[in-house]
Amino acid sequence: MKPVSALLAKHAKPLCSVHPNDTVFSALQQLAQHEVGALVVMEGDQLVGVISERDYTRKVALLSKNSKETPVHSIMTRQVLTVTPETGTRHCMALMREKKIRHLPVVRGSQVVGMISIRDIMDDLLDENEFTISQLASYIAS
């Protein structure tokens, strides 16, 4: 089981964030620009929430709200689950599955150091399985 820090090193992306008073539209622009599915919501150095594509679709689009007028704080997820760089990837996957979430902020103390997605974990597990299969095939062939 790999620690989350290995995923952060492998999938090094800049941490993208928005302020709670930013508009949902500006958050959507960042999601598109950085090709990510969620952003951390930061007030100064403090993590106060997460906003995802799912938040937008369920709390803005389906309710016919205007994303250029709606502030992030009105739709963000406030009860944020976090993990540390030392947390194992299998634990993260179990947590994401149990809580039905797709993104986890990674924190060291009170500092947000990254964000991992279910895709990051699945890609890593697939890579690990492919390596194991190639090793077994090589062993069997020898």
Side-chain angles (χ1 to χ4, degrees), residues 24 36 98 109 114 120 124 130:
V24 170
V36 294
E98 176 188 335
D120 296 332
D124 187 65
E130 287 174 6

Side-chain angles (χ1 to χ4, degrees), residues 35-46:
E35 297 180 343
V36 294
L39 303 168
V40 291
V41 182
M42 303 290 292
E43 198 158 22
D45 290 339
Q46 185 178 4

Side-chain angles (χ1 to χ4, degrees), residues 13-129:
K13 288 183 181 179
L15 182 65
C16 305
S17 67
V18 291
H19 188 274
N21 292 330
D22 289 345
T23 65
V24 170
F25 185 79
S26 67
L28 292 172
Q29 287 177 313
Q30 278 206 52
L31 289 170
Q33 177 185 354
H34 298 288
E35 297 180 343
V36 294
L39 303 168
V40 291
V41 182
M42 303 290 292
E43 198 158 22
D45 290 339
Q46 185 178 4
L47 174 65
V48 295
V50 170
I51 183 169
S52 68
E53 295 166 329
R54 185 183 286 181
D55 291 322
Y56 168 73
T57 58
R58 293 180 179 180
K59 300 173 187 173
V60 177
L62 287 176
L63 299 177
S64 300
K65 290 184 178 181
N66 185 335
S67 63
K68 291 185 178 181
E69 295 173 1
T70 305
V72 166
H73 67 79
S74 70
I75 71 160
M76 70 184 188
T77 301
R78 294 175 187 273
Q79 301 295 322
V80 181
L81 295 173
T82 62
V83 293
T84 68
E86 295 77 27
T87 304
T89 55
R90 291 196 188 275
H91 176 76
C92 291
M93 180 178 276
L95 184 61
M96 290 173 156
R97 182 176 179 204
E98 176 188 335
K99 300 298 182 180
K100 297 181 177 150
I101 58 175
R102 298 178 188 163
H103 301 87
L104 284 170
V106 182
V107 297
R108 180 178 289 116
S110 63
Q111 180 185 11
V112 180
V113 296
M115 175 98 84
I116 60 164
S117 70
I118 191 73
R119 176 168 295 196
D120 296 332
I121 293 172
M122 290 184 65
D123 286 348
D124 187 65
L125 287 173
L126 289 172
D127 289 346
E128 193 175 290
N129 287 345

